[in-house]
């Protein structure tokens, strides 16, 4: 077993990647000259180019391919929106404070560190104690504030920096708060996700789509989480780019017309049952996962398949990518099903994309709060006869019995469909079931107990006060709240994992150095090619500039390196940036193109070089294709 | 004269554009279902696509063409950065409050409204009074808080909504404030511009560029201004996208190697002198503007020329675009020169791009605050002999005279170049001039008064306490703070002006309706083409889907319209979105392509249609080019 060796290697690998990334400015700790701010990072030039390429491919792969409606909403969000979504009340982490200095810590982090530390470093730990600590680690995410506090007190955990005692855990809201306008009376927040901007626009987007379902809206933008104490470098940050899709669909029909295009895709899946019973993730064709009911529905399955294609085409290693289903306790009560695309990196398996069927929850929440019906309509080809429950209060009798409270009792008795969503099952209205029970009780006993929530009391209704019957009515359309399937992409996390999966080292020519390489596919490479005059001379530099101009003309990004450094050093520099192709000018009429990973070279005429590089960069041809068409060159 | 007619027409035109934009979801008031928030707007699907196209072209035209270093920094910014930049102290508007309700107003807006109202609506205004009010309008932007307050009091201006009295004007900081981390002790702001993220990274970027000047860095991102009372619809908003370039250059050499590529460009310029003397903007070749000293330097001129090309290629009318030089009172004291690209729209001439030579101000400010030298080095080919002033304090004498205060006096006497920027002229060090004056006084009088700011008093220095002399030294390099030329683009404003410049109406075929058209160039059009089966039938729909697939494959965005609506109505709909090309399927093998503005149609084979649309969309061919190659079709 290399259980001891393993973490050290992982740590060394992470260091090597991180050093290269920071040295070559893939990222920069933000505001570095002012000692930075934890959890904030800049994308430097190559990182910014990688991000831009990832987002462009995302637009191509999702928005354009599916004709999605892309929107772009502000980050500043008024409180009412995030009150409706639940973020104001529930978007919290549990925090403890050093009672003397006021320093803040995430309660679960402290408990986690304590347990791990004991398990790793205490040799004389009893089996019983070890089991207890392991159990705490397993249930960590489910502990309430009280339970966490009890454990922290029980284990005598103190503030790591001072050893002072800690406060009880209490929820800290992770949204950055601000104030909109000058008056100071309109609280606002920096959005914690981009999704809400889409939900509040549902009505307009549905209209824009010709009042037809299904359709998807998408948004790329910044999101913000004021983490208590950011860890894990680029993976847990306070500001990040999200790309989110909200696919609106009829809850009664979650099939997808293009499902057949992905159904044969096969990749690592980790269903709930397998996790619970301790099995490993296994390869399942997505078609089978849907037909066997492992994945709730076709649309959800379709997006899982598309996400798989997206990530692997970017360069994520398919053997270190799995789709893990949420356990029952992870999933929101309203969600129909939820899968995370997890990518394995030196920090473990990291959630990079969440793909959830959130049912009608979000649209209902905003319908309730705003009073605007976020619903869809399905016109019937011809009117349908339906049986409807009709409740007619006898106002005279009710007035005698309840006087001024009559109005509230009448309203409580109404079973007209909810005025907002037109749904009989909406929580705003008395359910059909309750009404039928009331009817039965009234018929059996002549009276019934009835709760009037607006009066906050239970009253007695007599059978003379109300008539309840079923009547036949004609309905011309069905009105319903659509379900939403939400694939949500953490762009920064995907990019970080891509860095780790693309990184490798190889010996230099003379063997006395290990050289770093980022093996990015051309699609994401920050720069598509470099142009080197072999030696410093005016003629070669002119040829290099001519090639540069032709590259710009066809939209290929490049970098010229006219330093006198040895060609080997220049190749090493460009490999470290993940540049897939290097053009070396060693003649006035023909040049060589070198492919980064194979180090193979071909000889190409100056006039053709831009179009060849474009061809292999755009994926029209592979390197192997062009290798046959041009003479190879050995340096 | 149509002076009365004119504003009404302008108003009607603005309404027509605005209605079309909002109805077709180019934009949506944000959080509309919650009655919105003033100054926040969403880009709906076509608006989002236009924005995305404008930004892609910006990247192509500036970043790729000039090999700029693009970075991507967070919006959340710690206070120290914006303290250094001056925003914490000076990024304010003057505000007055309704003394009873607390409602807030921009002081200058109220005064402006008052003056305009009097001038427009009071028929019996004396010539003297009219002149006074006009003068107030002219100097409005220069009034201090006291002056504004005096005018508001003097004219008896009250709160518009309540007629209550108003507070004195006081500065309100326009940044959205927040708190970073959970402790509440680290204030932060949402950045008011993207530029600071570049400045603080200067050192790393300079290194990345091989320690060579000039180079440019660029950033596209959100910026935030908590406007007191947003007006002017999409032009003055609380969150917006900026695209900024910081071109770093040697202050002693602001030539630009590619200036010859733009020098013949000729467009409307409005130099300071012409504004002051009441002349109109006039057409000047940019080469001439630079050579005549109207524009301060070549690099500034180069960017003005490039901005002109950028805006006109997007579709901005060159006759409604001018470059206006800042007046002396508009320009920051440190700026060398500043020009705004102003675009005329229904709101008047609107600043859409600012192009400023900000000298060394920003890098110096961050050098001072952070203690990190943001400087460039120029190695001399061979060492240069320079004469340097050397001040040697005689510590023994100073110690006897000043005891414990000796250290502060010695430090005050030092004339070593500023430790931070190595500049002798930096305000941190005693200037060479002051030192020579001190030497002269000491030689003449044997002693001199000398201010020690760290002691906060003036001391008497005797000639025995210090020797001041000039010595010859060898210098190997020049160390200096680069100047920065900053073109800064308000993307939302450019897009809004583009909407107005692209909008026109034309009569419907039967003449009983005016139809709206956005005449966007293909480059910015939100969707490049629509696909219509002429009549609803399965065969045509299959052809339409086949074409759709081939369009996706070549990266052309499209919309299929298979509704049974008349073809005329469908054309009208697509014209209103500014879609340049419409493909109508009226046969199984060949289809027609219609160009939006000319309404001309050509007949093209199904297999060729995607490549033809791509050709005219990418600008490889014009519509007139393809018009010759294919048979025309009349409907």
């Amino acid at each position: 077993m290399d259980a001891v060796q393993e973490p050290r290697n992982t740590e060394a690998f992470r260091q090597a990647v991180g050093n290269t990334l920071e040295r070559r400015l893939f990222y920069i700790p933000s505001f570095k000259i002012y000692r930075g701010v934890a959890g904030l990072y800049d994308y430097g030039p190559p990182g910014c180019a990688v991000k831009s390429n990832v987002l462009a491919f995302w637009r191509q792969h999702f928005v354009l391919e599916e004709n999605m409606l892309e929107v772009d909403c502000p980050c500043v969000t008024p409180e009412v929106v995030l009150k409706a979504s639940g973020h104001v009340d529930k978007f919290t982490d549990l925090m403890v404070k050093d009672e003397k200095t006021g320093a803040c810590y995430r309660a679960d982090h402290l408990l986690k560190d304590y347990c791990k530390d004991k398990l790793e470093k205490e040799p004389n730990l009893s089996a019983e104690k070890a089991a207890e600590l392991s159990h705490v680690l397993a249930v960590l995410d489910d502990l309430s504030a009280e339970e966490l506090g009890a454990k922290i007190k029980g284990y005598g955990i103190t503030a790591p920096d001072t050893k002072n005692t800690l406060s009880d855990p209490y929820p800290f809201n992770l949204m950055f708060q601000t104030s909109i306008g000058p008056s100071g009376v309109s609280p606002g927040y920096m959005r914690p996700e981009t999704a809400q901007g889409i939900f509040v626009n549902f009505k307009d987007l549905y209209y824009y789509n010709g009042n037809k379902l299904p359709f998807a809206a998408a948004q790329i933008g910044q999101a913000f989480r004021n983490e208590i104490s950011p860890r894990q470098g680029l993976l847990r940050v306070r500001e990040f780019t999200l790309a989110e899709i909200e696919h609106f669909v009829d809850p009664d029909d979650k099939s997808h017309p293009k499902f057949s295009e992905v159904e044969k895709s096969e990749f690592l899946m980790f269903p709930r049952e397998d996790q619970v019973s301790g099995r490993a993730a296994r390869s399942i064709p997505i078609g089978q996962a849907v037909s066997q009911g492992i994945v709730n529905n076709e649309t959800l399955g379709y997006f899982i398949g598309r996400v798989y294609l997206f990530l692997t085409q970017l360069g994520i290693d398919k053997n270190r990518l799995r789709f893990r289903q949420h356990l029952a306790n992870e999933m929101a009560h309203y969600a129909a099903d939820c899968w995370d695309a997890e990518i394995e990196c030196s920090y473990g398996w990291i959630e990079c994309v969440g793909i959830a069927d959130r049912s009608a929850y979000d649209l209902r929440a905003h319908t309730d709060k705003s009073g605007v019906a976020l619903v869809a309509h399905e016109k019937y080809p011809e009117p349908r006869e339906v049986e409807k429950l009709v409740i007619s209060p006898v106002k005279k009798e009710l007035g005698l019995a309840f006087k001024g409270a009559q109005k509230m009792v009448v309203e409580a008795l109404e079973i007209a469909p909810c005025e907002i969503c037109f749904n009989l099952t909406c929580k705003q209205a008395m359910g059909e079931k309750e009404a039928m029970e009331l009817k039965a009780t009234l018929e059996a006993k002549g009276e019934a107990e009835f709760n009037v929530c607006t009066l906050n009391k239970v009253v007695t209704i007599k059978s003379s006060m109300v008539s309840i019957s079923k009547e036949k009515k004609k309905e011309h359309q069905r009105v319903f709240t659509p379900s939403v399937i939400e694939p949500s992409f953490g762009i920064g996390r995907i990019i970080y994992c891509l860095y780790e999966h693309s990184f490798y080292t190889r010996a230099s020519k003379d063997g006395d150095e290990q050289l770093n390489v980022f093996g990015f596919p051309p699609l994401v490479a920050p720069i598509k090619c470099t142009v080197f005059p072999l030696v410093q001379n005016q003629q070669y530099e002119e040829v290099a500039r001519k090639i540069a101009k032709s590259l710009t003309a066809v939209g290929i990004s490049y970098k010229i390196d006219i330093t006198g450094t040895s060609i080997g050093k220049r190749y090493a520099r460009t490999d470290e940036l993940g540049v897939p192709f290097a053009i070396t000018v060693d003649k006035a009429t023909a040049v060589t193109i070198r492919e980064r990973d194979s180090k193979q070279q071909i000889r190409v005429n100056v006039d053709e070089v831009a179009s060849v590089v474009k061809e292999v960069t755009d994926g029209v041809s592979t390197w192997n294709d062009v290798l046959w068409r041009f003479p190879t060159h050995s340096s």
Side-chain angles (χ1 to χ4, degrees), chain A:
Chain A
M1 287 281 291
D2 55 359
V4 181
Q5 192 62 27
E6 191 38 58
R8 217 178 281 161
N9 278 345
T10 305
E11 188 64 36
F13 175 78
R14 188 194 297 160
Q15 283 274 341
V17 179
N19 288 346
T20 311
L21 289 173
E22 199 166 343
R23 190 164 36 76
R24 301 311 304 269
L25 295 200
F26 279 87
Y27 76 91
I28 309 162
S30 300
F31 319 113
K32 191 171 141 184
I33 62 171
Y34 294 103
R35 287 149 204 247
V37 175
L40 292 180
Y41 295 92
D42 299 343
Y43 289 84
C48 195
V50 168
K51 182 181 171 187
S52 177
N53 294 336
V54 169
L55 292 178
F57 181 55
W58 193 86
R59 275 212 176 90
Q60 168 75 32
H61 187 81
F62 292 106
V63 179
L64 191 61
E65 179 74 31
E66 316 284 348
N67 253 306
M68 291 177 180
L69 308 183
E70 191 178 347
V71 298
D72 182 4
C73 310
C75 301
V76 174
T77 305
E79 186 169 53
V80 62
V81 173
L82 296 159
K83 193 87 190 167
S85 69
H87 286 91
V88 171
D89 296 323
K90 291 181 192 155
F91 191 63
T92 56
D93 274 344
L94 291 168
M95 179 161 92
V96 289
K97 271 198 176 181
D98 181 319
E99 291 209 323
K100 282 191 186 145
T101 68
C104 304
Y105 304 94
R106 251 182 77 167
D108 58 342
H109 280 178
L110 294 189
L111 184 56
K112 187 179 183 181
D113 292 350
Y114 173 86
C115 295
K116 278 194 153 178
D117 218 54
K118 285 274 168 200
L119 284 168
E120 279 169 21
K121 296 183 187 157
E122 206 135 304
N124 304 320
L125 211 60
S126 69
E128 195 185 353
K129 190 74 186 171
E132 179 193 319
L133 295 173
S134 298
H135 177 72
V136 170
L137 285 176
V139 300
L140 199 63
D141 291 343
D142 290 332
L143 296 181
S144 68
E146 290 68 31
E147 290 165 331
L148 259 175
K151 295 260 179 257
I152 287 171
K153 282 233 156 44
Y155 291 140
I157 301 173
T158 55
D161 303 320
T162 62
K163 308 294 164 206
N164 292 332
T165 53
L166 293 164
S167 73
D168 287 333
Y170 61 97
F172 171 75
N173 194 298
L174 298 176
M175 292 193 291
F176 283 99
Q177 194 175 356
T178 190
S179 183
I180 305 174
S183 67
V185 298
S186 303
Y189 299 90
M190 303 311 298
R191 63 179 176 195
E193 57 176 32
T194 66
Q196 301 305 322
I198 297 177
F199 295 137
V200 299
N201 280 324
F202 172 79
K203 202 178 163 183
D204 280 341
L205 295 171
Y206 178 60
Y207 169 78
Y208 187 82
N209 199 51
N211 292 328
K212 279 199 195 68
L213 283 188
F215 74 92
Q219 180 165 201
I220 297 172
Q222 295 301 90
F224 303 81
R225 296 188 190 192
N226 194 10
E227 297 287 348
I228 294 170
S229 50
R231 294 178 167 193
Q232 296 193 306
L234 296 167
L235 292 177
R236 187 160 291 277
V237 292
R238 285 177 164 152
E239 182 176 338
F240 46 95
T241 301
L242 281 184
E244 297 193 294
I245 295 165
E246 309 297 331
H247 180 93
F248 298 101
V249 62
D250 185 338
D252 295 345
D253 178 12
K254 293 181 179 173
S255 65
H256 195 288
K258 289 162 78 181
F259 185 65
S260 60
E261 292 179 19
V262 301
E263 64 181 348
K264 294 211 171 59
S265 292
E266 198 173 332
F267 40 79
L268 282 179
M269 299 199 76
F270 202 10
R272 191 177 298 144
E273 279 67 40
D274 292 8
Q275 296 169 54
V276 171
S277 57
R279 286 193 290 269
R282 59 196 159 104
S283 190
I284 314 178
I286 186 68
Q288 194 181 313
V290 170
S291 65
Q292 293 181 351
I294 298 172
V295 168
N296 184 280
N297 59 70
E298 262 191 13
T299 299
L300 195 60
Y302 177 73
F303 279 111
I304 291 174
R306 293 290 295 169
V307 168
Y308 171 79
L309 289 175
F310 173 73
L311 293 173
T312 49
Q313 283 180 45
L314 283 182
I316 293 294
D317 177 356
K318 70 178 166 49
N319 299 310
R320 302 175 71 195
L321 166 63
R322 71 181 183 196
F323 289 83
R324 189 180 71 78
Q325 190 173 29
H326 276 204
L327 297 172
N329 64 354
E330 282 178 278
M331 211 161 66
H333 65 92
Y334 48 78
D337 195 4
C338 188
W339 293 77
D340 286 343
E342 294 185 331
I343 305 176
E344 196 189 23
C345 74
S346 66
Y347 292 98
W349 286 95
I350 300 298
E351 173 201 345
C352 290
V353 186
I355 309 147
D357 181 336
R358 299 176 55 84
S359 74
Y361 178 78
D362 307 280
L363 293 183
R364 287 237 175 96
H366 285 296
T367 296
D368 287 354
K369 190 83 179 172
S370 69
V372 176
L374 304 179
V375 292
H377 306 252
E378 186 202 0
K379 278 225 166 62
Y380 296 134
E382 48 198 74
R384 290 188 191 176
E385 195 159 83
V386 289
E387 204 171 48
K388 285 222 154 182
L389 196 73
V390 177
I391 304 188
S392 312
V394 182
K395 295 203 176 166
K396 196 180 149 197
E397 294 285 327
L398 288 165
L400 285 169
F402 299 108
K403 312 239 157 52
Q406 181 200 350
K407 189 164 165 274
M408 278 79 125
V409 178
V410 168
E411 277 172 3
L413 280 170
E414 270 169 7
I415 200 178
C418 164
E419 277 179 23
I420 294 169
C421 73
F422 307 101
N423 254 328
L424 273 176
T425 51
C426 164
K427 65 184 162 67
Q428 306 260 336
M430 173 159 66
E432 187 164 317
K433 189 164 150 263
E434 289 80 15
M436 290 311 290
E437 282 166 8
L438 180 63
K439 182 179 160 79
T441 312
L442 287 175
E443 281 168 6
K445 303 189 184 166
E447 60 177 47
E449 302 283 86
F450 183 66
N451 179 37
V452 181
C453 61
T454 47
L455 291 174
N456 201 19
K457 69 174 179 185
V458 173
V459 299
T460 303
I461 299 280
K462 301 211 168 116
S463 56
S464 60
M465 295 176 184
V466 62
S467 90
I468 301 176
S469 61
K470 287 208 164 178
E471 288 178 15
K472 290 197 169 167
K473 286 200 168 187
K474 280 201 171 170
E475 271 189 357
H476 297 265
Q477 61 175 4
R478 187 177 140 237
V479 181
F480 60 95
T481 305
S483 279
V484 61
I485 314 259
E486 177 188 85
S488 170
F489 299 70
I491 297 299
R493 289 184 169 194
I494 293 171
I495 290 174
Y496 178 75
C497 292
L498 189 58
Y499 289 153
E500 282 205 6
H501 288 201
S502 305
F503 185 80
Y504 65 94
T505 57
R506 61 184 173 202
S508 61
K509 214 167 186 180
D510 52 17
D512 55 2
E513 219 186 332
Q514 281 296 308
L515 302 174
N516 304 315
V517 185
F518 279 112
F520 300 127
L523 178 68
V524 293
I527 299 166
K528 306 309 177 197
C529 72
T530 32
V531 185
F532 303 132
L534 182 64
V535 292
Q536 283 185 306
N537 90 31
Q538 209 193 330
Q539 192 196 17
Y540 287 3
E541 275 184 31
E542 268 165 28
V543 174
R545 292 201 196 287
K546 189 179 160 192
I547 291 171
K549 210 161 181 174
S550 62
L551 289 167
T552 299
V554 296
I556 296 290
S557 59
Y558 66 89
K559 198 175 172 158
I560 289 194
D561 185 345
I562 53 164
T563 56
T565 322
S566 79
I567 195 73
K569 282 232 171 83
R570 283 187 279 173
Y571 281 146
R573 260 191 221 158
T574 183
D575 291 345
E576 209 175 47
L577 280 178
V579 181
F581 305 104
I583 299 166
T584 302
V585 180
D586 57 354
K587 286 188 184 175
T589 51
V591 298
T592 67
I593 305 179
R594 168 194 182 258
E595 194 275 332
R596 175 196 57 214
D597 297 312
S598 64
K599 298 197 266 182
Q600 290 162 331
Q601 295 181 51
I602 55 174
R603 183 160 290 283
V604 179
N605 283 335
V606 169
D607 297 338
E608 278 179 282
V609 68
S611 69
V612 172
V613 172
K614 188 174 167 60
E615 211 179 309
V616 282
T617 298
D618 288 355
V620 175
S621 305
T622 65
W623 176 253
N624 277 333
D625 294 337
V626 298
L627 206 50
W628 288 109
R629 274 167 36 206
F630 296 93
T632 53
H633 172 88
S634 54
S635 54

